Amino acid sequence: MATSTLEEAYKENPLSLQHILPIDFQSIQEVPNSHLWPKINNVLTSHNDKNPNVPIIDLLAPNVVELMGHACKTWGIFQVVNHGVSLELFDEVEYQARRFFALPAEQKVKVVRSTSGATGYGTARITPFFSKFMWHEGFTIMDSPLDHAKKLWPHDYHKFCDVMENYQKKMKVLSFQLCLFILNYLQPSQDQHSINSFEFAGALQLNSYPCCPSPNHALGLAPHTDSLFLTILHQTNNTKGLQILKKDQGWTSIAPVSNDALIVNVGDLLHILSNGKFPSVYHRVLVDQTKHRVSLAYFFGPQVDSMISPLVSSKDNDGVVLKYRNVKVKEYLGLKAKHLEKVFSMIRF
């Protein structure tokens, strides 16, 4: 099965339980020292509700390939509308996600991610690289959450499973469509061949950012890039917390332009495939004092046995220099699990 091999990649890089199990956010009144970050808002931060220049792409536009390629090249992040996923489905997934996160800590711990596992309840995988913990809890699903859901709701697990499986199917179809457009931009005459040479896997991450007593001294997610090809993010209730580090602008808030808009960002493997043309977006998540934020992140990329080779298009001149060596997805994930953002320097020519 496709996802089992993605899980295999994480088995070889186990984490300690202290880096997996979130604190019980429902039982604390103030931010403990373990989660207290210094000077979060002392970095130059641009709060602009209108997302200046962040590309908004209508998937029905006749020039969608050019629009998406340009967005990947100049920003590494964009929003999509007319994507075919209903508002009702977003609402259903959010309802089930909140249903899960509202459970008592002793219930959620029943489905905690194992030290060498990829699915289940836990903190972000980047946790060990930082001296402070994040104000975040997550639940990772690959295909069916049946085994976990049965432990949580022995007699009432069907709806949770149906909604999560349906959402993943929709996201996989959309992700494939986006990759087709992007590969068509990179290699106009070979898009179908390029995408058919990969088998793909996906993972759904439900994110919870509880209300925080000291939001200026806590981080929902610390600065990082995503590992796979693409991440499709739905920020529920039109709330904002996502920020990207934009050259010459500092930290810039990205809020969805509408309730059904999806935010798509380039990940590391697409950065490598594009030979560095598309930036892998450095991003973080802020928290709020009065709003418990929930978001849905779908990560999509080639199977772990796939080889990622930088593409050089006929649009490039003959003198183009390859920036990265060929790398298998599994090797890349292993290197990143040990070295985080230093990983690019390890595969760069």
Side-chain angles (χ1 to χ4, degrees):
M1 182 184 282
T3 50
S4 64
T5 54
L6 189 55
E7 292 188 61
E8 284 294 322
Y10 293 116
K11 277 184 183 171
E12 296 181 11
N13 300 283
L15 302 177
S16 66
L17 194 58
Q18 73 172 38
H19 287 135
I20 296 173
L21 191 61
I23 59 168
D24 180 5
F25 290 104
Q26 296 170 4
S27 70
I28 53 178
Q29 308 303 315
E30 58 183 48
V31 178
N33 186 56
S34 57
H35 290 66
L36 209 58
W37 293 66
K39 303 177 182 175
I40 294 301
N41 285 346
N42 282 12
V43 183
L44 174 65
T45 305
S46 163
H47 290 284
N48 195 315
D49 293 336
K50 292 193 168 56
N51 299 314
N53 305 321
V54 175
I56 299 159
I57 298 173
D58 183 341
L59 291 191
L60 301 178
N63 59 337
V64 64
V65 169
E66 282 300 317
L67 291 171
M68 202 169 291
H70 185 71
C72 287
K73 204 171 180 178
T74 54
W75 279 80
I77 191 167
F78 52 92
Q79 301 199 39
V80 293
V81 294
N82 278 329
H83 45 64
V85 184
S86 70
L87 263 175
E88 290 77 18
L89 182 55
F90 293 131
D91 289 344
E92 285 181 344
V93 182
E94 180 184 356
Y95 177 83
Q96 294 297 333
R98 288 187 181 276
R99 177 188 176 202
F100 169 75
F101 290 119
L103 291 170
E106 58 269 23
Q107 280 289 99
K108 289 183 283 194
V109 79
K110 290 179 181 177
V111 295
V112 72
R113 208 170 65 229
S114 71
T115 53
S116 59
T119 61
Y121 176 64
T123 61
R125 298 195 75 87
I126 57 173
T127 298
F129 291 96
F130 300 92
S131 59
K132 297 292 183 180
F133 286 90
M134 288 159 254
W135 203 259
H136 165 268
E137 51 183 343
F139 187 72
T140 310
I141 302 168
M142 295 182 185
D143 288 345
S144 175
L146 180 63
D147 291 344
H148 286 146
K150 275 184 171 179
K151 290 178 184 174
L152 297 167
W153 305 286
H155 308 293
D156 188 23
Y157 56 84
H158 297 287
K159 186 64 176 173
F160 183 86
C161 293
D162 290 347
V163 168
M164 296 305 162
E165 287 171 35
N166 188 23
Y167 189 72
Q168 287 176 92
K169 283 175 188 166
K170 298 281 188 193
M171 286 298 108
K172 191 165 190 177
V173 169
L174 178 59
S175 300
F176 191 85
Q177 182 185 15
L178 297 177
C179 282
L180 208 59
F181 291 145
I182 290 166
L183 285 168
N184 195 6
Y185 178 84
L186 287 171
Q187 286 199 322
S189 60
Q190 299 176 42
D191 62 310
Q192 201 63 43
H193 167 75
S194 296
I195 203 162
N196 284 340
S197 64
F198 293 122
E199 278 188 46
F200 288 95
L204 174 61
Q205 171 87 6
L206 311 178
N207 294 307
S208 163
Y209 306 100
C211 299
C212 180
S214 305
N216 291 342
H217 287 278
L219 265 180
L221 285 178
H224 66 287
T225 60
D226 293 337
S227 299
L228 301 183
F229 262 14
L230 293 174
T231 302
I232 302 180
L233 180 74
H234 184 255
Q235 295 193 95
T236 63
N237 281 347
N238 211 1
T239 55
K240 68 178 180 184
L242 175 69
Q243 291 192 322
I244 64 167
L245 189 59
K246 188 82 170 85
K247 197 176 178 184
D248 304 325
Q249 289 185 27
W251 288 105
T252 302
S253 291
I254 307 290
V257 289
S258 62
N259 283 336
D260 64 343
L262 290 166
I263 297 169
V264 182
N265 67 266
V266 170
D268 298 349
L269 294 179
L270 188 53
H271 170 74
I272 296 165
L273 189 79
S274 72
N275 197 34
K277 280 195 195 77
F278 300 162
S280 187
V281 178
Y282 201 54
H283 57 284
R284 69 181 188 181
V285 177
L286 304 185
V287 291
D288 193 277
Q289 192 161 2
T290 58
K291 287 179 188 162
H292 176 190
R293 293 181 50 253
V294 169
S295 72
L296 320 170
Y298 185 77
F299 304 102
F300 184 76
Q303 258 317 349
V304 293
D305 289 328
S306 306
M307 183 69 75
I308 306 299
S309 308
L311 294 177
V312 179
S313 166
S314 56
K315 289 194 290 187
D316 296 314
N317 59 42
D318 293 336
V320 72
V321 176
L322 289 178
K323 293 184 178 176
Y324 298 104
R325 66 171 173 83
N326 295 351
V327 63
K328 269 196 172 181
V329 174
K330 189 173 185 178
E331 181 198 358
Y332 182 82
L333 293 176
L335 287 170
K336 190 169 183 183
K338 294 183 178 74
H339 306 286
L340 202 60
E341 69 253 25
K342 294 176 187 162
V343 64
F344 285 132
S345 63
M346 305 178 81
I347 59 168
R348 192 177 283 125
F349 279 127

